[in-house]
């Protein structure tokens, strides 16, 4: 694996002058030159180094797998959430949609992008640990953010590729010949990093100076804190099948009524709303979310700029009367065809550069914790409390409650109900559907029906649930093996 070494000074300088990131970095940069040796001896540049990771996620192209910001679109195409507009002419999207990846046609992929950012994370951990020039509070918090981000990247790598190399340093002599590690070991690393993040991070959301907490009600929820680490830990435990641990972690957050509450459907994706646990501040054109710019289909219909629409399979999974479909799904009729699109983010662009930003891309939100706890409780045999949790989500959606219509539902049927709720609650959000299909062993059952419909008529192969890595990566590291089945 090629670590794709990055110029940290270039990244940080771009952050410190990036006007749309003023809320993330509110302190001025130093007058001295920057390099990887002194970046972590100054509060401002150290904060800028970590902030670069969030800017990359927020500003990445959502229709290319060049950063994890493409997860919502790319994995939605791989699964059964999106249809691809064939006239868009985007071959990269077409092969993900048709489940037709191989080592030759997968380029600029999630693998390379994630390991590139992991290099920045590992460099930060090394620099922060050895630094004597930082304010103690800044140092502690940034270490916590770095551990959180390393866990975040590895969570997606292990779920997209299976066994992956665990890179924990910037030593090229080690990284250039590192082998894949078993998924179980990767998950253990994620848990260890998230526990470290929990210990280091505080309860509040910090301003850009890395020290000052926002006053209650004014939080910018764009820098991870203890609750973000706890939420990702609950999700990780769920994926590991550690139901009791997942329930405990989810309950920690769900008990914090002061900081977090379910919002009305129309408020869920607004910036700094109380359902948000971690959001990304838009930094791209028009200062609006990439999701809105990409997913909202104009009246003319799909194009190379808006090349995806929601699949019939997804649209048909909404129950009659589900208000999420009314609030979170839009449609246009172009040339006699009705196209449905995600309408969770509603502000596509702004002609006014000083127009207020009202939506932030939401990475982790409270609804997920209710469904994590519901599933964990169901798996542990606590059906009554599991129903209570899932009904919180159904009640907001305007649906009949399970406790009223089917209070004696058995465990298996309840798990299926939870999966359906996850399907229509988190559609086109950060790969939830694609990852859920795999972790619940439903991917073959679903994709064997869907894949042949996607345009090339090819049959689904179970190995396609994990992505291949590029021939470039294989050539760069003699000890790296291709994903099985490719």
């Amino acid at each position: 694996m090629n670590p794709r070494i990055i110029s940290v000074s270039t990244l940080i300088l771009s952050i410190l002058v990036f006007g749309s990131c003023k809320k993330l970095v509110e302190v001025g940069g130093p007058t001295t030159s920057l390099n990887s040796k002194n970046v972590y001896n100054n509060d401002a540049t150290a904060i800028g180094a970590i902030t670069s990771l969030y800017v990359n996620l927020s500003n990445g192209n959502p229709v290319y797998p060049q950063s994890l910001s493409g997860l919502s679109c790319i994995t939605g195409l791989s699964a059964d959430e999106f249809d691809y507009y064939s006239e868009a002419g985007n071959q990269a999207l077409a092969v993900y949609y048709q489940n037709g990846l191989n080592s030759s046609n997968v380029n600029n992929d999630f693998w390379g992008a994630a390991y590139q950012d992991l290099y920045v994370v590992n460099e930060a951990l090394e620099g922060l640990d050895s630094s004597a020039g930082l304010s103690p509070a800044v140092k502690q918090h940034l270490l916590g953010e770095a551990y959180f981000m390393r866990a975040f990247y590895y969570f997606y790598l292990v779920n997209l590729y299976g066994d992956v190399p665990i890179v924990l340093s910037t030593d090229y002599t080690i990284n250039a010949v590192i082998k894949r590690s078993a998924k179980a070991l990767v998950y253990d690393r994620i848990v260890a990093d998230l526990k470290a993040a929990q210990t280091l991070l505080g309860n509040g959301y910090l301003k850009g100076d890395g020290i000052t907490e926002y006053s209650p009600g004014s939080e910018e929820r764009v820098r991870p804190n203890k609750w973000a680490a706890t939420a990702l830990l609950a999700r990780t435990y769920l994926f590991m099948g550690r139901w009791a641990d997942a329930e405990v972690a989810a309950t920690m957050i769900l008990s914090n009524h002061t900081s977090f509450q379910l919002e009305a459907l129309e408020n869920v994706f607004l910036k700094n709303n109380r359902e948000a646990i971690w959001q990304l501040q838009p930094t791209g054109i028009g200062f609006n979310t990439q999701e809105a710019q990409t997913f909202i289909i104009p009246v003319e219909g799909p194009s190379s700029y808006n090349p995806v629409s929601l699949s019939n399979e997804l649209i048909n999974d909404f129950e009659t009367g589900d208000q999420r479909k009314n609030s979170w799904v839009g449609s246009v009729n172009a040339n006699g065809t009705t196209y449905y699109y995600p309408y969770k983010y509603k502000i596509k662009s702004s002609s006014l550069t000083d127009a207020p930003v009202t939506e932030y891309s939401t990475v982790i939100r409270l609804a997920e914790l209710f469904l994590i706890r519901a599933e964990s409780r169901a798996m542990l045999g606590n059906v009554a409390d599991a129903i209570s949790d899932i009904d919180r989500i159904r009640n907001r959606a305007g649906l009949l409650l399970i406790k009223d219509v089917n209070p004696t539902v058995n465990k298996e049927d309840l798990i299926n109900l939870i999966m359906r709720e996850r399907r229509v609650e988190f559609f086109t959000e950060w790969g939830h559907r694609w990852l859920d299909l795999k972790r619940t062993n439903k991917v073959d059952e679903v994709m064997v029906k869907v894949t042949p419909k996607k345009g090339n008529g090819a049959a689904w192969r179970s190995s396609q649930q994990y992505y291949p890595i590029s021939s470039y990566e294989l050539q760069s590291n003699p000890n790296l093996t291709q994903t099985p089945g490719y």
Side-chain angles (χ1 to χ4, degrees):
M1 179 187 59
N2 188 328
R4 286 189 170 95
I5 296 174
I6 302 172
S7 168
V8 173
S9 55
T10 299
L11 280 173
I12 296 170
L13 283 171
S14 67
I15 300 303
L16 291 174
V17 299
F18 207 155
S20 63
C21 299
K22 288 188 290 184
K23 292 177 181 176
L24 286 172
V25 182
E26 297 170 339
V27 289
T31 56
T32 56
S33 63
L34 299 175
N35 58 57
S36 60
K37 292 182 179 180
N38 64 24
V39 158
Y40 298 100
N41 285 322
N42 177 279
D43 285 356
T45 54
I47 292 170
I50 300 299
T51 302
S52 70
L53 299 169
Y54 312 138
V55 174
N56 285 348
L57 285 174
S58 179
N59 203 32
N61 190 326
V63 297
Y64 284 99
Q66 295 171 327
S67 80
L68 292 186
S69 58
L71 280 165
S72 298
C73 181
I74 302 298
T75 61
L77 285 166
S78 293
D80 58 347
E81 291 187 308
F82 278 129
D83 288 334
Y84 169 65
Y85 181 60
S86 59
E87 295 181 28
N90 187 325
Q91 186 59 27
L93 289 188
V95 294
Y96 279 94
Y97 176 60
Q98 295 173 350
N99 305 115
L101 291 170
N102 57 57
S103 61
S104 298
N105 63 21
V106 56
N107 294 301
N108 297 317
D109 57 350
F110 292 122
W111 179 287
Y115 276 108
Q116 178 171 291
D117 285 335
L118 277 167
Y119 184 91
V120 176
V121 172
N122 287 329
E123 186 176 55
L125 287 168
E126 292 170 358
L128 290 166
D129 187 61
S130 61
S131 174
L134 296 178
S135 304
V138 170
K139 180 176 181 177
Q140 176 177 321
H141 186 83
L142 291 183
L143 279 168
E145 288 192 29
Y147 279 117
F148 172 85
M149 290 305 296
R150 189 163 71 180
F152 179 78
Y153 290 119
Y154 274 117
F155 176 83
Y156 282 105
L157 281 169
V158 74
N159 279 286
L160 295 175
Y161 295 96
D163 300 346
V164 296
I166 302 175
V167 178
L168 302 178
S169 77
T170 60
D171 189 334
Y172 179 77
T173 62
I174 296 175
N175 298 344
V177 293
I178 198 167
K179 298 179 180 180
R180 290 180 184 249
S181 292
K183 289 186 288 184
L185 295 177
V186 182
Y187 274 116
D188 287 345
R189 181 73 260 165
I190 295 169
V191 169
D193 282 350
L194 289 173
K195 286 185 174 180
Q198 279 183 310
T199 300
L200 292 162
L201 294 170
N203 293 328
Y205 290 93
L206 297 189
K207 296 184 177 181
D209 61 8
I211 301 174
T212 309
E213 285 192 15
Y214 284 100
S215 58
S218 67
E219 302 96 337
E220 290 279 329
R221 302 182 175 211
V222 296
R223 300 201 81 95
N225 61 6
K226 174 184 175 180
W227 302 110
T230 303
L232 187 54
L233 185 60
R235 183 196 295 178
T236 301
Y237 283 145
L238 183 78
F239 276 59
M240 296 173 74
R242 293 174 57 173
W243 317 119
D245 291 329
E247 181 185 13
V248 169
T251 299
M252 288 179 62
I253 300 173
L254 294 171
S255 299
N256 183 0
H257 305 297
T258 302
S259 299
F260 305 108
Q261 295 180 6
L262 288 179
E263 291 273 8
L265 292 175
E266 62 269 21
N267 297 334
V268 171
F269 301 96
L270 297 180
K271 69 175 185 178
N272 309 327
N273 73 83
R274 296 187 69 183
E275 183 167 336
I277 298 173
W278 180 37
Q279 297 183 304
L280 297 173
Q281 180 185 342
T283 61
I285 298 172
F287 308 109
N288 294 293
T289 64
Q290 295 284 6
E291 290 93 339
Q293 295 178 44
T294 301
F295 293 155
I296 296 177
I297 300 175
V299 294
E300 296 83 8
S303 67
S304 58
Y305 297 103
N306 306 105
V308 298
S309 59
L310 293 176
S311 69
N312 288 332
E313 286 84 2
L314 173 58
I315 294 299
N316 293 336
D317 263 352
F318 284 96
E319 295 178 48
T320 301
D322 193 331
Q323 295 304 304
R324 287 170 294 199
K325 184 177 180 182
N326 295 334
S327 183
W328 293 350
V329 175
S331 66
V332 297
N333 189 289
N335 300 316
T337 300
T338 299
Y339 297 94
Y340 295 94
Y341 57 84
Y343 199 42
K344 292 179 171 180
Y345 300 90
K346 306 183 189 308
I347 310 301
K348 185 176 178 69
S349 61
S350 173
S351 60
L352 302 175
T353 57
D354 59 348
V357 177
T358 59
E359 298 173 337
Y360 285 179
S361 178
T362 301
V363 188
I364 305 175
R365 58 189 177 93
L366 193 67
E368 182 184 354
L369 279 302
F370 276 106
L371 294 180
I372 286 174
R373 192 169 70 175
E375 185 176 346
S376 300
R377 287 174 164 176
M379 296 301 292
L380 293 168
N382 185 355
V383 171
D385 285 340
I387 289 174
S388 178
D389 281 336
I390 190 175
D391 276 348
R392 291 291 301 273
I393 305 304
R394 291 179 62 83
N395 182 62
R396 178 173 68 176
L399 296 173
L400 295 174
L401 304 185
I402 297 173
K403 72 178 182 65
D404 294 331
V405 298
N406 195 7
T408 60
V409 60
N410 63 39
K411 173 181 170 180
E412 182 179 356
D413 288 342
L414 183 58
I415 292 295
N416 289 334
L417 286 170
I418 293 169
M419 289 304 109
R420 183 171 181 174
E421 284 301 315
R422 290 182 64 90
R423 160 82 146 152
V424 294
E425 177 72 24
F426 303 120
F427 69 94
T428 68
E429 288 185 52
W430 290 89
H432 279 288
R433 173 63 172 175
W434 184 233
L435 273 54
D436 280 346
L437 286 175
K438 295 189 288 183
R439 72 176 178 84
T440 59
N441 297 316
K442 296 290 187 181
V443 66
D444 291 337
E445 176 186 327
V446 170
M447 297 307 297
V448 73
K449 300 173 184 177
V450 173
T451 299
K453 300 178 183 179
K454 292 188 175 186
N456 65 356
W460 166 259
R461 302 190 316 274
S462 187
S463 58
Q464 292 171 314
Q465 64 185 283
Y466 293 112
Y467 293 151
I469 58 176
S470 69
S471 54
Y472 171 80
E473 299 289 352
L474 294 172
Q475 293 166 3
S476 299
N477 180 352
N479 292 330
L480 194 59
T481 57
Q482 181 57 279
T483 305
Y486 293 93

